[in-house]
Amino acid sequence: MFSMRNFVKDGFLKAVGKMADYQIILNAASWHEKGVLTEEDLAEIQSAISAKNAVEDAPDATEEMMEGA
């Protein structure tokens, strides 16, 4: 059976890294206001954004090796 909630949430999770973070956040918030997404869904989306940003902010191993050489 089709679930609008899962459809929207999965779309946002797949958009992480492909769309700007602020666009995902603002759009997800509007779906929350409409009663489609729950706060737990927003927390899951925010976790995916935070994980993506942590990977992007992590220093590159090759850069560290070049600095040590």
Side-chain angles (χ1 to χ4, degrees):
M1 179 176 209
F2 178 78
S3 167
M4 183 64 143
R5 176 181 169 227
N6 288 335
F7 177 76
V8 171
K9 182 174 74 167
D10 290 344
F12 284 126
L13 291 171
K14 290 176 183 175
V16 172
K18 297 179 180 121
M19 284 178 62
D21 294 348
Y22 77 92
Q23 289 177 314
I24 296 170
I25 292 166
L26 291 175
N27 286 318
S30 72
W31 283 101
H32 176 261
E33 288 177 5
K34 294 174 187 174
V36 175
L37 295 177
T38 65
E39 286 190 26
E40 291 79 21
D41 297 331
L42 297 181
E44 186 177 345
I45 294 166
Q46 181 59 49
S47 293
I49 292 170
S50 296
K52 185 248 333 165
N53 290 339
V55 169
E56 288 179 356
D57 293 341
D60 188 277
T62 55
E63 288 179 20
E64 289 179 6
M65 289 172 49
M66 295 299 281
E67 290 174 3

